[in-house]
């Protein structure tokens, strides 16, 4: 064993105090800007960043998810309330919401396992539901 005494040692990377605070925060509670900077930090240091990258892209597509949910509600709102079957409409709406939630989680887990890119995993559930909503609107229009 050899002991070397140096008067001064330069650290290779700049450490910010905010980085240490981020280690205890879940990605779901971070803002887009914090996620972006943290992902870049992890990439530049060669560390695992998939969980944070997936959370970043999921938050980027939240506005699209809201629009998709509005489009999904259109086939149910298009029908007359007097035609009956309100309970089945509510049940179908709840099941579609659960399906959308499950698809988001499935694609997020696939992204973390690195079988799907984060950008695709955040976009695919919304696109799949948009296609489903388009088919439902076509079916309602055809029946009318």
């Amino acid at each position: 064993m050899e002991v070397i005494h140096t008067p001064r040692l330069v650290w290779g990377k700049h450490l910010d105090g905010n980085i240490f605070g981020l280690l205890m925060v879940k990605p779901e509670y971070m803002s887009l800007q914090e996620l972006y900077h943290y992902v870049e930090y992890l990439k530049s240091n060669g560390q695992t960043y998939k969980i944070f990258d997936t959370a970043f892209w999921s938050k980027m597509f939240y506005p699209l998810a809201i629009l998709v949910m509005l489009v999904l509600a259109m086939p149910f709102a298009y029908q007359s309330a007097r035609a009956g079957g309100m309970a089945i409409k509510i049940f179908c709406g709840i099941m579609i919401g659960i399906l959308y939630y499950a698809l988001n989680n499935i694609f997020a887990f696939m992204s973390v396992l690195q079988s799907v890119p984060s950008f695709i995993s955040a976009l695919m559930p919304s696109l799949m539901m948009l296609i489903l909503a388009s088919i439902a609107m076509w079916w309602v229009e055809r029946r009318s």
Side-chain angles (χ1 to χ4, degrees):
M1 179 180 281
E2 182 180 338
V3 177
I4 300 173
H5 295 284
T6 57
R8 186 172 179 205
L9 187 62
V10 178
W11 191 272
K13 296 279 184 181
H14 174 69
L15 288 177
D16 189 5
N18 295 330
I19 295 298
F20 291 116
L22 290 175
L23 295 174
M24 295 183 215
V25 177
K26 292 184 178 182
E28 296 86 25
Y29 302 129
M30 297 171 69
S31 69
L32 272 175
Q33 184 178 13
E34 289 172 338
L35 281 169
Y36 176 77
H37 290 302
Y38 194 55
V39 167
E40 291 302 315
Y41 171 78
L42 291 174
K43 282 181 183 178
S44 68
N45 288 318
Q47 297 178 9
T48 306
Y49 62 91
K50 280 302 254 186
I51 295 172
F52 295 96
D53 195 40
T54 302
F56 173 78
W57 285 109
S58 294
K59 286 189 182 210
M60 282 292 287
F61 289 118
Y62 276 165
L64 177 65
I66 293 169
L67 293 174
V68 167
M69 285 302 196
L70 287 172
V71 172
L72 274 172
M74 292 293 287
F76 296 103
Y78 202 80
Q79 297 172 354
S80 174
R82 291 185 178 196
M86 187 58 74
I88 195 73
K89 291 177 190 176
I90 292 172
F91 178 75
C92 287
I94 290 170
M95 289 295 112
I96 290 171
I98 291 172
L99 175 67
Y100 186 61
Y101 177 76
L103 280 174
N104 272 328
N105 285 340
I106 288 168
F107 275 94
F109 289 134
M110 286 179 13
S111 172
V112 171
L113 295 174
Q114 298 188 6
S115 61
V116 176
S118 299
F119 178 82
I120 300 296
S121 73
L123 187 60
M124 279 306 287
S126 294
L127 287 178
M128 291 169 73
M129 285 297 169
L130 193 59
I131 291 169
L132 179 69
S134 300
I135 291 169
M137 275 303 290
W138 172 79
W139 185 71
V140 167
E141 285 288 327
R142 193 179 66 112
R143 272 187 50 195
S144 296

